[in-house]
Amino acid sequence: MFREIRRQNRILEDEVRITELLQTSEYGFLSLGTTENGYAYGIPISYAFDKEGNNIYFHCAPEGQKLDILRGNNKVSFCVVGITKPIAEQFTTLFESVIVFGKVNMDLSDDEKRKALRLLVRKYSPEYQELGEKYMDKSWSRTATFKIEIEHITAKAKY
């Protein structure tokens, strides 16, 4: 179902590093299907990786182009990038990247929505968790949360 990585010597097989990249990368790129005018749609998003559940959570406004596309096709890919270091004299770049393939679940229970938002607060504002709870309650109806149910992961690196 998923294509093999062409450059087998670039496969990042270190599960600990893959998990670390998914947990600590500041943002990721969500790639969706196509817009009504036929263009592919990809956007950078803030996210939280739930290692225990093997899911990625994100949030957004309860309306917009991203949601319109997901309603028609919930299959996505999501990419994070670790280190990058161009080596100019060798015309190459050292890098790490992880690509997740999965389906977006747009119908989370209130308990799972709160879990997702708590994971995001813990990741991006760990010293403000109590204030984060109040902010969640205040913006509850204006916030949609979703999870990518991971089906396949590929990772590459050149060190």
Side-chain angles (χ1 to χ4, degrees):
M1 177 179 198
F2 294 97
R3 198 173 189 169
E4 258 190 56
I5 293 176
R6 185 180 59 83
R7 294 287 305 265
Q8 294 287 302
N9 63 329
R10 299 277 193 262
I11 293 176
L12 176 59
E13 296 183 90
D14 183 347
E15 294 293 328
V16 172
R17 183 62 184 148
I18 291 169
T19 298
E20 183 178 67
L21 286 167
L22 287 170
Q23 287 178 318
T24 63
S25 292
E26 189 175 345
Y27 60 91
F29 292 95
L30 181 65
S31 297
L32 310 159
T34 55
T35 62
E36 63 278 352
N37 60 10
Y39 285 93
Y41 191 66
I43 53 172
I45 61 168
S46 300
Y47 73 97
F49 175 61
D50 175 26
K51 185 173 107 173
E52 286 74 39
N54 200 38
N55 298 303
I56 293 172
Y57 289 99
F58 62 98
H59 74 297
C60 62
E63 60 184 48
Q65 186 164 349
K66 173 173 55 238
L67 301 185
D68 292 346
I69 294 169
L70 285 170
R71 284 186 193 101
N73 179 2
N74 70 339
K75 291 181 180 179
V76 300
S77 65
F78 180 75
C79 178
V80 296
V81 177
I83 62 158
T84 60
K85 182 181 178 192
I87 308 296
E89 68 277 7
Q90 294 178 19
F91 305 100
T92 193
T93 300
L94 305 181
F95 69 92
E96 307 172 296
S97 65
V98 177
I99 301 176
V100 167
F101 298 88
K103 293 180 182 162
V104 172
N105 181 336
M106 300 173 68
D107 189 30
L108 303 184
S109 68
D110 284 351
D111 286 343
E112 192 165 16
K113 178 177 178 176
R114 188 162 298 276
K115 172 187 175 179
L117 294 171
R118 284 178 175 153
L119 286 168
L120 287 160
V121 168
R122 212 171 297 138
K123 178 177 180 180
Y124 293 102
S125 304
E127 62 280 0
Y128 298 102
Q129 290 184 51
E130 188 176 318
L131 184 59
E133 290 290 326
K134 293 176 187 171
Y135 192 82
M136 277 181 240
D137 292 337
K138 187 174 105 176
S139 61
W140 189 261
S141 63
R142 298 185 320 264
T143 306
T145 56
F146 306 99
K147 74 176 171 184
I148 300 171
E149 297 170 343
I150 298 172
E151 296 178 343
H152 183 70
I153 296 176
T154 63
K156 290 174 65 175
K158 180 178 179 183
Y159 296 113

